[in-house]
Amino acid sequence: MINSTLFPDVQLPAAERARGPFAAVAIERSLDKILDYEVPQGLIDSLRVGQRVRVPLGRNNRPEHGYIIAIGPTSDYPRIKPILAIDDQRILIPPKMMELACWMARYYCTPLGSVIDSILPSAVKKKIGLGWTHHVRLGKSPEEIQAILEKTRAPKRRAILARLLQIKPGESAELIRIASEAGTRAATVRKLVKLGLITITAEPDFNLPPAYYPKCGPEEAPPKLNEDQVDVLNELSPRIAGGEFSVNLLHGVTGSGKTEIYLRCIKQAVEMGRRAIVLVPEIALTPQTVRRFTARFDRVAVLHSGLPASARHRFWHQISEGKADVVVGARSAVFAPMPNLGIIVVDEEHEGSYKQDLAPRYHARDVAIKRGQLESVPVLLGSATPSLESWWNVKKGSGFGVGGSGQEHGHASTAAHATQSQPTLSHATPYHLLSLPNRVRNLAMPQIELLDMKQEIFVNRRKGVHLISRRLEHMLRVTFDAGQQAILLLNRRGYSNFVYCPSCTHLVQCRFCDATLTYHRSATAKARGGSFDEGLHTGQLHCHYCLGVNPLPPACPDCGKKLSLFGLGTQRVEEELARKFPNVHYARVDSDTMRNAGDYEKILSRFAKGEIQVMLGTQMIAKGLDYPNVTLVGVISGDTALALPDFRAAERTFQLITQVAGRAGRGDKPGRVILQTFIPDDPTIAAALRQDFVGFASSELKSRQEVGLPPITRMVRIILRDEDLAKLHEKSEKVAAAFAGQIDAEKSNVKLKGPMPCAINRIAGYHRAQILLFAPTAPPLQRLLAGVRAQKGILSSDRIAVDVDPVSLL
Ligand code: ADP
Ligand code: ZN
């Protein structure tokens, strides 16, 4: 793979050049460089691209971990240090994954070492769960050992020494074997280490015990596909058989049988001897979906955050050896080291959780597409509410160029040039739209009913706080009386999100963030029947940004008068539900109550058995639930997400309402949705009411086009933070100037906005500023970022975050 033409023409005088071969090593700890190292004689035969090694770094040669990204005969650098050791003999990053990592490093503007670091599970790096065997090597020549043997009296030691003489120099033998053949114990053999006669090293045993493939009873016979499904499958099938890259967006309304399509596609791939990766937004929240995969296929590795480290390592190892046919997992499963991939499925492709909010800030859907391209396999994206990015890509009939421009990073390595030449997605990226416009078994779409909360409060003159309207209350009663179940959505946790003083209008804010505090009642007061006042005494104020928790002040800190609670949260709905329906069993599902992966599963199984009549929660309950007895969905406040200062607020609102509405009426009984809102005329609410994704998408795309926002443009967000406001200003002006200068120098068409304060000005004591970059396509942005980075205009430091294709703008 390595050939000399890949290495630069700069040739040093022979005398100054160190002797090759050399290896380019990406240092694991976000060092912004790739460094060349000498390959010592002893490692020449065993060193491979993709291995993890230890190398000396810095003036005092601190040993650091890194990854071999290329091996070649020459290097530009006269003084080169040798690699210290191979940390793991396995090729942890196979060639295609290395290409993917290089692409991510460029595209997401993150050092290659830290990209690879995040691709590999830490259990793999730390070799957790491996058995270790101890190997003995000779520390002296056989002649010396022979001489010692002749002088030794002790019979056990003589036996050991005699046995040692059978080890050839350079070879090793297992410690326990030597001990047993010499008729002694390992501890006795070990004593020879101190005398310098032998060395003992622990070596990993890669025969990992198998990980456990979850199994759940045999599946009922798969359903017979309906006509729409047959059409979709007929279109996909040749693409799977053809083994070519394509991106297929399956837009299917909720309950249209999308998952069944994924299952059939995977079956076809598996029957061809190929393998599949299935990404789901969050394993813990989609147990039903996951079970359908484990029920249909035999070797399904489910990767979830609750796996013990050793199981994680075993799965990873088994997957890399091709011993799993299907991998199901959240975001990071896109890096599963599957050989011979046949298809990648991204379920609920619009989900924000596919974006990682720490560096590398990658989007798993986009990485999946890039991986599909590198491995020449079809990628299947599915959703009832596709992201506007994907929708736009299909609509304009060409790729959105998830491809960098192949620009260089200005790193220090010359050997690394070998990795700079991979393909990028061209404008001809084959995007296809497939649709399932109807629910399976001719089931009706749920009927959505709008409830104007202004009317409810001002016209009906209801006393007190009622988050549940009379209409919703009535429908809940009807539902419970009929022995059916309901889901209530409120996208905000806690009890109330404003604590304020009615006398002086003081609003209690977080000391460290530019945000109001949310009042949470304490767990003890949560017990049903606990009075509101009781809760008040034991509750606390939480900051949802810095996660700080404070006591509720006994009175207004400014004027000493009594504080009031205002605004709504799931705890408050829970309280109201308990008051209105004292005999109904309910469960609250939000990140406060669901602390462990198992909590949600337990609730769901009780819900499935009918032990719980209503589930109330945040967007957690909007995902993938399929319970035929759910006939009513109540959206407590359709407006909550609309108010967020983010250009995707409307898109999110539409998605959330459509997704949660889709939980209703999945059985034979028709479903009904009550959508409460203060702004019934809002176009997003109106589109959600009509369940008109296509209409919503085209009007939303039009307004994004008018103001030049993604997906029509590509965007990069640079977030700076500092405890000192003046320093932040200074720094952000400097960074913005570096970008502006580079834009001029390159005559780039990138538009720069800022620096300006972030929507949330301060988080956890840090002031925040942002710079936004826009361009019609991705390559100019990539070029610009690389250029500014090469000029040291942005350094990898924790106070500057570069977010390419950001999904959140708070
Ligand atoms: P989606 O993923 O679009 O929400 P699912 O694939 O989960 O839809 O399908 C909803 C339900 O309908 C599932 O219980 C599934 O087993 C069932 N189903 C899927 N396809 C068919 C079909 N052709 N006929 C009958 N039932 C089907
Ligand atoms: Zn805070």
Side-chain angles (χ1 to χ4, degrees), residues 285 489 491 589-591 594 600 617-623 625:
L285 299 186
L489 173 85
N491 203 17
V589 177
D590 55 32
S591 53
M594 304 291 117
Y600 191 50
T618 54
Q619 77 270 20
M620 283 173 97
I621 55 168
K623 289 178 222 255
L625 301 184

Side-chain angles (χ1 to χ4, degrees), residues 694-713:
V694 177
F696 168 76
S698 68
S699 79
E700 182 67 17
L701 279 175
K702 212 165 120 221
S703 40
R704 301 256 184 106
Q705 185 142 35
E706 280 159 15
V707 283
L709 283 169
I712 317 295
T713 56

Side-chain angles (χ1 to χ4, degrees), residues 510-515 517 543-548 762-765:
C510 177
R511 270 190 298 150
F512 307 104
C513 306
D514 181 23
L517 292 171
C543 174
H544 289 180
Y545 294 96
C546 70
L547 310 180
R762 198 166 58 109
I763 292 185

Side-chain angles (χ1 to χ4, degrees), residues 224 226 229 255-260 292 440-441 626 666:
K224 190 173 170 303
N226 63 30
Q229 286 172 315
S256 59
K258 294 184 289 295
T259 313
E260 192 57 42
R292 288 173 65 188
V440 293
R441 299 191 287 127
D626 188 7
R666 296 171 75 96

Side-chain angles (χ1 to χ4, degrees), residues 39-55 64-66 68 71 82-92 127 202-204 206:
V39 182
Q41 283 299 319
L43 296 184
I44 286 180
D45 293 334
S46 42
L47 197 74
R48 301 275 179 281
V49 171
Q51 277 172 335
R52 189 170 188 250
V53 293
R54 259 176 299 136
V55 293
E64 285 281 349
H65 282 109
I68 304 289
I71 302 173
I83 291 172
L84 299 175
I86 297 175
D87 182 67
D88 195 323
Q89 296 291 334
R90 296 176 291 179
I91 292 173
L92 298 181
K127 307 192 202 113
E203 284 166 29
F206 287 109

Side-chain angles (χ1 to χ4, degrees), residues 305-618:
S305 59
L307 282 182
S310 59
R312 190 169 289 274
H313 187 185
R314 285 174 210 172
F315 268 134
W316 186 92
H317 193 78
Q318 268 170 261
I319 291 167
S320 76
E321 295 195 324
K323 288 182 184 149
D325 294 321
V326 183
V327 167
V328 182
R331 190 169 62 218
S332 62
V334 73
F335 304 121
M338 281 213 144
N340 205 9
L341 207 53
I343 186 169
I344 307 177
V345 173
V346 184
D347 188 25
E348 309 289 8
E349 65 89 28
H350 63 278
E351 274 285 336
S353 62
Y354 284 126
K355 174 86 176 182
Q356 171 153 297
D357 56 10
L358 293 172
R361 293 178 168 74
Y362 68 90
H363 198 300
R365 175 198 59 221
D366 297 341
V367 174
I369 292 173
K370 186 68 192 179
R371 186 164 178 192
Q373 185 204 23
L374 291 172
E375 309 221 17
S376 299
V377 297
V379 179
L380 177 54
L381 313 177
S383 176
T385 52
S387 63
L388 289 183
E389 279 72 15
S390 298
W391 191 250
W392 172 244
N393 287 327
V394 206
K395 287 291 150 191
K396 72 177 197 232
S398 65
F400 67 133
V402 185
S405 57
Q407 288 301 303
E408 285 175 30
H409 266 189
H411 50 58
S413 172
T414 44
H417 282 251
T419 61
Q420 291 285 339
S421 58
Q422 72 239 236
T424 54
L425 287 193
S426 71
H427 285 286
T429 301
Y431 262 90
H432 306 278
L433 177 63
L434 303 155
S435 60
L436 293 174
N438 302 302
R439 284 191 155 180
V440 293
R441 299 191 287 127
N442 297 319
L443 294 174
M445 289 303 288
Q447 190 195 337
I448 306 190
E449 191 180 308
L450 202 67
L451 201 127
D452 184 352
M453 290 300 271
K454 287 196 307 271
Q455 294 261 332
E456 180 78 6
I457 290 175
F458 301 114
V459 182
N460 295 342
R461 300 199 174 278
R462 258 185 125 185
K463 281 239 174 71
V465 182
H466 293 273
L467 302 179
I468 299 176
S469 63
R470 279 192 260 209
R471 173 72 180 151
L472 179 53
E473 183 178 339
H474 170 72
M475 287 313 302
L476 281 167
R477 190 152 284 131
V478 170
T479 305
F480 300 145
D481 287 349
Q484 295 165 6
Q485 290 168 301
I487 286 177
L488 291 180
L489 173 85
L490 177 59
N491 203 17
R492 198 173 264 163
R493 63 206 167 81
Y495 188 86
S496 76
N497 54 323
F498 298 104
V499 179
Y500 86 122
C501 171
S503 321
C504 74
T505 71
H506 175 83
L507 196 57
V508 182
Q509 292 210 318
C510 177
R511 270 190 298 150
F512 307 104
C513 306
D514 181 23
T516 59
L517 292 171
T518 301
Y519 176 70
H520 286 239
R521 297 179 71 188
S522 72
T524 46
K526 206 184 62 191
R528 190 100 65 86
S531 78
F532 173 62
D533 279 342
E534 192 186 319
L536 260 190
H537 292 304
T538 52
Q540 286 164 320
L541 294 176
H542 291 229
C543 174
H544 289 180
Y545 294 96
C546 70
L547 310 180
V549 178
N550 309 281
L552 178 71
C556 172
D558 273 13
C559 73
K561 297 243 170 67
K562 203 169 163 241
L563 287 168
S564 264
L565 299 177
F566 189 72
L568 56 168
T570 44
Q571 285 186 332
R572 193 153 193 163
V573 181
E574 178 182 28
E575 182 186 81
E576 198 175 315
L577 198 61
R579 209 170 54 223
K580 290 184 163 140
F581 300 96
N583 300 318
V584 160
H585 294 279
Y586 64 84
R588 193 181 96 222
V589 177
D590 55 32
S591 53
D592 295 326
T593 57
M594 304 291 117
R595 305 239 160 184
N596 308 314
D599 291 347
Y600 191 50
E601 281 250 37
K602 263 180 236 148
I603 300 264
L604 288 184
S605 96
R606 291 182 57 206
F607 192 63
K609 286 188 220 142
E611 294 170 14
I612 293 172
Q613 280 95 54
V614 52
M615 279 206 299
L616 141 76
T618 54

